[in-house]
Amino acid sequence: MLTKALSGDKSLVLVDHEMNSASEHFADWPPERTVFPLKSIQLKITETGHPLVIPNSVAIDAHWHEETKANPSLFDGRMLLMSSLVLEDNQLSGVGHITPYSAFLWWRKRPQRLGAVHVFAYAVIASSDGALIAIRMASHTANAGQVYFAAGSLEPEDVRDGICDLYANMSREVKEETGLDLADAQAGDRFYACHLNHTVPIFKVYRFDMTADEIVYRITKHMAVAEDKEIAGAVAIRSADPAAFPYNVSMLPIIDWYFSAAK
């Protein structure tokens, strides 16, 4: 049967556990790829498993086998995947579950991405001369070659008293991948979000008192000593040109919003 983990006029409706009759949508949300401000964020994490995982375990395992055969470096860690999401008066709330990465990869490859929403956080690194700094993913990662802001999926260690701590997630990911400390930057006054294809990037701008070249140099030095070699380099984004780099699609609404606002 169809269920809702949270009520509200602007809720994302869950699909039934058998995935036979799907009826999910972002009712009354802003259109896809539209950036909007958030007044508050509360992502609750439940100890129950995601309703997608058990009924689709055979398909998930088979897909993971094929993925790791092609890329043995993949690791089946644990991440947070939402089963419901509500946007009401620019207040975002939802329920998530600790889910195997293999299940997320299987869901991500499905044509309609039914039954879940992937929410993650971007710390949008801005330089003193107006550029944005992103990273290019290494060839052994699941997003090989793609360019996006230093980030990772929300993980169990980001949960504080049952609520997901976005700042903790962003701080850790930025530190690990770039060596930069968000505490050294001037943080924007609010979070923003957008949505596309059942993915919701939530982001905040962090401006460092360094030029783009200086930040890229700092990241390059960090790459030489970083334990996890997930990134292949850093890039300075100076315009909203979608063809400037091989962007992850989630980047496009954000860079368009940033450079439009800067004019």
Side-chain angles (χ1 to χ4, degrees), residues 226-246:
E227 292 183 8
D228 195 341
K229 308 295 185 182
E230 284 192 345
I231 74 171
V235 302
I237 304 169
R238 302 185 185 275
S239 77
D241 179 6
F245 297 103

Side-chain angles (χ1 to χ4, degrees), residues 201-221:
I202 300 172
F203 68 94
K204 180 181 283 191
V205 176
Y206 289 85
R207 190 172 301 277
F208 283 80
D209 188 20
M210 293 184 283
T211 67
D213 289 344
E214 289 171 334
I215 297 175
V216 169
Y217 177 71
R218 284 271 300 271
I219 295 173
T220 302
K221 286 184 64 178

Side-chain angles (χ1 to χ4, degrees), residues 63 67 81 101-113 118 141-143 146 148 197 199 248:
H63 180 263
E67 290 283 346
L81 189 62
Y101 184 65
S102 54
F104 165 70
L105 278 189
W106 168 82
W107 169 83
R108 190 173 74 169
K109 291 289 183 69
R110 293 177 65 79
Q112 295 181 306
R113 291 188 172 180
H118 183 215
T141 65
N143 297 321
Q146 292 187 16
Y148 51 86
N197 197 16
T199 297
N248 182 285

Side-chain angles (χ1 to χ4, degrees), residues 125-160:
I125 303 302
S127 67
S128 60
D129 53 349
L132 299 178
I133 310 302
I135 50 117
R136 190 190 305 270
M137 296 304 293
S139 60
H140 66 277
T141 65
N143 297 321
Q146 292 187 16
V147 169
Y148 51 86
F149 301 118
S153 291
L154 302 173
E155 298 179 2
E157 63 189 286
D158 300 319
V159 179
R160 307 283 188 274

Side-chain angles (χ1 to χ4, degrees), residues 28-195:
D28 298 326
W29 284 50
E32 281 201 346
R33 301 176 182 244
T34 301
V35 171
F36 54 90
L38 293 173
K39 295 179 181 177
S40 66
I41 305 166
Q42 187 175 61
L43 304 179
K44 297 181 179 180
I45 307 304
T46 176
E47 294 183 0
T48 61
H50 199 289
L52 279 178
V53 175
I54 293 178
N56 294 289
S57 58
V58 173
I60 291 168
D61 289 345
H63 180 263
W64 182 248
H65 176 74
E66 293 302 315
E67 290 283 346
T68 52
K69 186 165 62 174
N71 185 357
S73 298
L74 293 176
F75 172 67
D76 196 11
R78 295 297 180 265
M79 57 172 286
L80 305 179
L81 189 62
M82 308 303 293
S83 60
S84 76
L85 208 57
V86 176
L87 180 67
E88 186 69 45
D89 190 28
N90 289 92
Q91 299 177 80
L92 187 68
S93 58
V95 173
H97 310 257
I98 298 174
T99 305
Y101 184 65
S102 54
F104 165 70
L105 278 189
W106 168 82
W107 169 83
R108 190 173 74 169
K109 291 289 183 69
R110 293 177 65 79
Q112 295 181 306
R113 291 188 172 180
L114 299 176
V117 184
H118 183 215
V119 175
F120 62 93
Y122 272 145
V124 177
I125 303 302
S127 67
S128 60
D129 53 349
L132 299 178
I133 310 302
I135 50 117
R136 190 190 305 270
M137 296 304 293
S139 60
H140 66 277
T141 65
N143 297 321
Q146 292 187 16
V147 169
Y148 51 86
F149 301 118
S153 291
L154 302 173
E155 298 179 2
E157 63 189 286
D158 300 319
V159 179
R160 307 283 188 274
D161 298 322
I163 303 295
C164 194
D165 185 338
L166 297 185
Y167 181 75
N169 171 266
M170 293 188 301
S171 298
R172 184 187 68 251
E173 295 292 340
V174 168
K175 188 72 171 179
E176 288 178 356
E177 295 182 1
T178 71
L180 298 172
D181 189 338
L182 291 185
D184 295 334
Q186 180 181 357
D189 61 351
R190 66 180 64 191
F191 279 100
Y192 294 85
C194 60
H195 71 100

